[in-house]
Amino acid sequence: MHGDEPERSTPGQGRPGTVSAAELFDGLGVDYERAFGRLPAQLAAVDWLSARLDPGARVLDVGSGTGRPVADRLVRAGCEVTGIDVSGAMVGLARAQVPGARFEQCDVRGFSAPDGSFDAVCAFFPLLMMSRAEASAALERMAGWLVPGGYLVSATVPADVEGVQIEWMGRRVEVSSFSAEEYLRRLREDCGLEVLHHAVSVFEPEGELAAPEEHLFCYARRPAAPR
């Protein structure tokens, strides 16, 4: 590693002076659900997805948090839901709150599944504490886990940044992201997905821990297999 190259954290670890994703969400627990659990664009995305899935559809919820609202809403729609999250505290809450789904403590970078394992993947804000290279690779892997015709419904905070340290919900974290245009390009060109809908909105979380955020929501689909 060159001396002028930024020190990279390994999965599950933060750089000195910052907390890792696991540490962040272990500490936040239900405070995160209180702040972000009624995000209108997220609820609309889950309802849009549920309306397009058959009963028993297999859905992977990446960064499943407390299980609410995403996994809970999908289970109520009749889906077979697997949730993964780096935070053991979040997984424990999710198992208690959404017993109809299966939850694993796992980083998406270490999760493996055969190609075409899921009818849909939800990925609401799980990539922000990764490097851009890691986030891009994770998106490509998630696209590969979809059946032909399957859906990737995702959200991020659009910003042209890499390795920036910020204060978020009272913790010091390191974040990276893509501009809205670059995120959409990666979905289309790198992941081979058809983008069906995308929109940017501003959300004001409940309480005093989090500030208003700009969010990019995308609905995308893996092309169906040729007949």
Side-chain angles (χ1 to χ4, degrees):
M1 180 178 293
H2 298 294
D4 59 351
E5 198 172 22
E7 179 186 349
R8 288 286 168 212
S9 57
T10 56
Q13 295 181 333
R15 285 177 63 182
T18 67
V19 296
S20 68
E23 292 167 335
L24 172 66
F25 289 101
D26 279 347
L28 288 175
V30 294
D31 285 339
Y32 180 77
E33 184 181 317
R34 292 191 188 106
F36 290 93
R38 298 297 301 175
L39 207 171
Q42 184 180 50
L43 299 177
V46 177
D47 289 346
W48 179 92
L49 177 64
S50 299
R52 286 157 178 78
L53 297 176
D54 295 327
R58 302 158 298 165
V59 183
L60 177 67
D61 183 11
V62 178
S64 47
T66 67
R68 298 195 305 210
V70 178
D72 182 53
R73 222 169 175 92
L74 290 167
V75 167
R76 292 176 188 273
C79 298
E80 181 183 307
V81 181
T82 299
I84 60 172
D85 200 286
V86 295
S87 165
M90 289 294 193
V91 169
L93 285 167
R95 287 171 176 167
Q97 295 190 144
V98 192
R102 182 169 64 90
F103 296 95
E104 301 176 21
Q105 184 179 357
C106 181
D107 190 307
V108 67
R109 290 166 287 189
F111 183 78
S112 61
D115 186 79
S117 292
F118 297 98
D119 299 294
V121 174
C122 293
F124 297 118
F125 311 105
L127 309 178
L128 293 165
M129 293 180 68
M130 302 179 188
S131 70
R132 283 174 164 178
E134 290 169 330
S136 187
L139 283 172
E140 291 181 42
R141 296 178 71 230
M142 285 188 275
W145 295 332
L146 294 171
V147 297
Y151 297 97
L152 173 64
V153 179
S154 65
T156 189
V157 176
D160 186 11
V161 296
E162 171 129 39
V164 174
Q165 293 189 15
I166 63 169
E167 290 285 334
W168 189 78
M169 294 194 75
R171 280 79 168 172
R172 188 78 174 165
V173 298
E174 181 179 298
V175 298
S176 299
S177 191
F178 305 105
S179 67
E181 295 77 11
E182 178 62 14
Y183 187 82
L184 294 170
R185 187 200 68 76
R186 288 175 186 259
L187 290 179
R188 292 183 177 117
E189 298 180 16
D190 299 346
C191 299
L193 300 178
E194 177 188 3
V195 175
L196 306 174
H197 167 81
H198 61 90
V200 174
S201 57
V202 176
F203 176 67
E204 295 193 13
E206 297 289 335
E208 300 178 354
L209 281 177
E213 291 182 351
E214 189 174 70
H215 294 160
L216 169 66
F217 278 80
C218 299
Y219 309 168
R221 179 172 58 195
R222 182 175 180 177
R227 293 181 180 274

